[in-house]
């Protein structure tokens, strides 16, 4: 014999099970709860009809109420659990704490920094200390104090970056020669690594910002032989004892005499290859005896003090060392490139 209350409860249960299994959010679950269990919901209104039942039927209906309420509750609980887990999980997946963690990649030194650190370490062993100067400079420290003629092409706005107020981005680390001598009494023995800027059109060997390491030694009776020996020692430490150096006459405003110095090609050992353009030599940097005018500009007496200065390009050394064929690779921050070093 059918019991109308029991039937209604059972069909509502079936319905609710389906709706809850498909519910997408908590509001949908709450809707079902109100419809079934709410004050004006199905179960409370059905219980109003209990009086019309026989004692036997009332007992049946009472049991159906109890189990029905329990089962509604468990359908709702599992629906809520599922909804919360998908909100928490990544793209609907649950968080699995048993999975191994994601390893954080360790960074490493940029090749330019590695070369600076090595060059500094070599010069420290040779008795030099590190000096520093600003990247934003004035015309005096970048040109005037370095004995640079008013007509020198490097002063041109086409070659050097100027600010509206007349200051500039230093085009060479030679500025640190001046700053160091202005603030220290001789003798001096410094190296100054740092960033420089020039208005070059970028290509495989030119970048608008690059690095140099400057050297300056001021003492009594410092000769070109002293300069040559320190450069030879540096070359041997940096590239190996078989590397030779040679000095070629050149011109710099702040040194006299001035030279460019070359290292025998570290690729071919001096026999000639495409890196050294078959010459057997690699041009590394400029150097010379400090010009007496520079010493006068910083208040040193050129009759008492003499010295040498040198400057070399860091990127050039890094490119030779690591066989990098385009300077721009050093500044693109491409991890696929950088993680090779
Ligand atoms: N400052 C020079 C340049 O940038 C290099 C240099 C440094 C030459 C010190 C002589 C002495 O080309």
């Amino acid at each position: 014999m059918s019991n109308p209350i029991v039937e209604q409860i059972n069909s509502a249960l079936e319905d609710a099970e389906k709706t809850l299994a498909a519910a997408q959010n908590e509001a949908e679950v709450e809707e079902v709860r109100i419809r079934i269990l709410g004050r004006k919901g199905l179960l409370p209104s059905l219980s109003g009809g209990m009086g019309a039942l026989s004692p036997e039927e009332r007992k049946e209906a009472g049991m159906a109420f109890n189990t029905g309420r329990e089962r509604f509750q468990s359908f709702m609980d599992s629906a809520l659990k599922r909804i919360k887990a998908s909100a928490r999980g990544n793209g609907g997946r649950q968080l699995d704490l048993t999975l191994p963690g994601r390893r954080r990649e360790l960074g490493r030194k940029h090749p330019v920094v590695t070369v600076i650190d090595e060059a500094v370490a070599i010069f420290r062993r040779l008795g030099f200390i590190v000096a520093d100067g600003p990247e934003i400079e004035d015309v005096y420290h970048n040109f005037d104090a370095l004995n640079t003629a008013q007509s020198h092409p490097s002063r041109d706005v086409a070659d050097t970056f100027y600010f509206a107020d007349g200051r500039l981005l230093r085009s060479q680390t030679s500025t640190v020669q001046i700053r160091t001598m202005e603030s220290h009494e001789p003798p001096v023995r410094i190296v100054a690594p740092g960033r420089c800027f020039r208005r070059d059109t970028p290509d495989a060997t030119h970048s608008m910002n690059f690095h140099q390491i400057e050297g300056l030694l001021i003492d009594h009776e410092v000769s070109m032989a002293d300069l040559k020996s320190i450069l030879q020692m540096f070359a041997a430490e940096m590239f190996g004892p078989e590397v030779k150096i040679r000095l070629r006459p050149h011109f710099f405003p702040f040194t006299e005499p001035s030279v460019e110095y070359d290292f025998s090609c570290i690729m071919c050992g001096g026999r000639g290859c495409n890196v050294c353009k078959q010459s057997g030599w690699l041009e590394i940097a400029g150097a010379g005896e400090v010009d007496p005018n520079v010493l006068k500009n910083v208040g040193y007496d050129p009759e008492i003090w003499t010295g040498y200065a040198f400057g070399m390009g860091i990127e050039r050394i890094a490119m030779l060392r690591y066989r990098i064929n385009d300077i721009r690779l050093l500044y693109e921050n491409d991890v696929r490139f950088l993680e090779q070093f």
Side-chain angles (χ1 to χ4, degrees), residues 186 292 295-296 298-306:
L295 297 174
K296 279 186 216 148
V298 296
Y300 286 9
D301 183 348
E303 297 300 325
I304 301 174
W305 299 103
T306 49

Side-chain angles (χ1 to χ4, degrees), residues 173-231:
T173 45
S174 303
T175 54
V176 186
Q177 292 186 36
I178 304 300
R179 293 205 170 264
T180 303
M181 290 189 283
E182 281 175 341
S183 57
H184 293 80
E185 290 299 321
V188 170
R189 194 181 267 233
I190 57 120
V191 286
R195 192 181 289 261
C196 306
F197 308 84
R198 287 183 197 176
R199 288 192 66 171
D200 286 325
T201 304
D203 64 22
T205 55
H206 293 86
S207 164
M208 284 185 282
N209 83 89
F210 57 96
H211 296 74
Q212 293 184 329
I213 185 164
E214 190 83 9
L216 174 69
L217 183 141
I218 305 286
D219 212 318
H220 299 295
E221 293 173 28
V222 180
S223 71
M224 287 297 282
D226 297 321
L227 170 63
K228 190 172 180 186
S229 74
I230 212 87
L231 295 177

Side-chain angles (χ1 to χ4, degrees), residues 110-158:
H110 191 282
V112 166
V113 175
T114 303
V115 170
I116 289 176
D117 286 354
E118 280 183 30
V120 164
I122 292 167
F123 283 118
R124 269 190 213 280
R125 289 202 291 279
L126 295 170
F128 291 77
I129 62 168
V130 174
D132 199 6
E135 291 172 0
I136 296 177
E137 263 295 5
D138 46 47
V139 172
Y140 180 77
H141 288 91
N142 201 80
F143 294 121
D144 300 342
L146 286 163
N147 198 39
T148 311
Q150 286 302 324
S151 59
H152 196 279
S154 64
R155 287 180 182 257
D156 198 283
V157 292

